[in-house]
Amino acid sequence: MSTPDFTAVAASINQRLAQIEAAQTAAHGAITAATVTAVVAAVAALLSLGGVILTAWVARRNGFIQTRATQQLKHADFRQAWINGLREEMARFLSLTAEYVVDRAKEPEVIESMAMILLRMNNRDKEYDGLIVALDEVLDAAQDRLVGKTYGEAAGDYLIICQRILKREWETTRIAMLEEPPMWGSDIRKEPDLSAPKVRMPRHLDTRGPSLAPSDSGTADVRPSAKKQGAGTTKPKAPPSRNRHSSS
């Protein structure tokens, strides 16, 4: 019986182990390459999706900014037209009252101009009450009924208030034009202030009776008078019965 060659057997085993190790290395490399390829593909897909989202967001933002800038320009145009109209009406009122001093036939035009000024104003404006006082004083001075002031002094006070109002409104328009449009449009639509304003008007326009005259608090009583409430609905009283008098 021959003795086995252990050296050859060991060499065969080592060769087989080397083949197995090489196969494992090759398989691991293939798995790693496939994993890297999948990760790269996923990252590329995410970057592509992110690029699409970013492009859409930038386009939307640019569109909003363009729209907002257009709205600001349009609003500034409307506001400037309002300021111009208010300034012209304020000057017209003063011119009409100067003519009214010598020509009483100008009274309807003076009253119309006064009403136009107030219709262009916000009755919550901090200068509103002062403007009403100035309008009344100018017209009282033109009617030679103002005590303590001449027509020129009343007109000067009126012009000072008008200058303050016009200057403030112009500054408001200028600042609004310089403001950078916001990123999103949350501030474009604002709920209007629907709270009831105080009712105040010049004495020369208060033609609806004493119930609307300014009270001690500076505001007017807007409740209709009893005469107006019953207008058209009050029935004439029946004359007293003669039988009743005779029985008493």
Side-chain angles (χ1 to χ4, degrees):
M1 185 175 181
S2 60
T3 302
D5 189 357
F6 291 104
T7 304
V9 173
S12 177
I13 292 174
N14 288 335
Q15 183 180 4
R16 187 62 179 172
L17 290 175
Q19 291 176 353
I20 294 173
E21 185 177 357
Q24 289 178 346
T25 302
H28 180 71
I31 293 174
T32 302
T35 302
V36 170
T37 302
V39 170
V40 170
V43 170
L46 289 176
L47 290 177
S48 177
L49 179 61
V52 172
I53 294 175
L54 181 61
T55 301
W57 181 83
V58 171
R60 181 182 177 184
R61 181 178 183 274
N62 291 340
F64 168 75
I65 291 177
Q66 183 66 30
T67 302
R68 188 70 173 94
T70 303
Q71 289 175 341
Q72 283 182 326
L73 290 174
K74 198 67 177 177
H75 179 75
D77 291 341
F78 288 150
R79 191 174 184 86
Q80 187 59 47
W82 169 76
I83 292 174
N84 293 340
L86 180 61
R87 180 175 58 246
E88 292 172 2
E89 198 60 52
M90 286 175 168
R92 177 171 174 261
F93 172 77
L94 199 59
S95 174
L96 288 173
T97 53
E99 297 177 15
Y100 179 69
V101 173
V102 295
D103 184 5
R104 298 302 185 187
K106 293 288 183 180
E107 183 175 0
E109 295 181 56
V110 173
I111 298 300
E112 177 189 3
S113 179
M114 180 185 292
M116 289 297 295
I117 291 172
L118 295 181
L119 287 174
R120 291 177 181 271
M121 289 291 297
N122 183 355
N123 54 11
R124 294 183 178 86
D125 193 294
K126 62 181 181 180
E127 301 283 358
Y128 187 77
D129 289 345
L131 179 62
I132 287 179
V133 173
L135 289 169
D136 275 332
E137 287 185 349
V138 170
L139 191 50
D140 284 341
Q143 294 172 343
D144 199 20
R145 295 191 305 176
L146 184 62
V147 178
K149 280 186 182 180
T150 63
Y151 175 81
E153 292 171 341
D157 293 341
Y158 166 75
L159 286 177
I160 290 174
I161 292 180
C162 291
Q163 287 174 340
R164 286 204 302 262
I165 294 173
L166 295 173
K167 176 65 175 177
R168 185 199 63 213
E169 295 302 329
W170 162 244
E171 288 295 331
T172 302
T173 303
R174 183 180 65 83
I175 292 173
M177 285 293 297
L178 295 178
E179 286 181 350
E180 182 180 355
M183 182 172 294
W184 301 113
S186 58
D187 64 332
I188 289 182
R189 298 180 180 179
K190 295 183 178 179
E191 293 296 329
D193 185 3
L194 300 180
S195 59
K198 60 183 179 181
V199 179
R200 174 96 186 252
M201 63 181 64
R203 297 187 310 277
H204 299 280
L205 293 181
D206 189 5
T207 59
R208 294 175 290 177
S211 61
L212 287 173
S215 62
D216 295 337
S217 60
T219 59
D221 184 2
V222 297
R223 295 173 298 178
S225 62
K227 182 178 180 180
K228 290 188 176 182
Q229 288 179 342
T233 60
T234 303
K235 297 181 179 180
K237 294 182 179 180
S241 174
R242 293 184 178 179
N243 295 333
R244 182 179 178 182
H245 286 289
S246 61
S247 60
S248 59

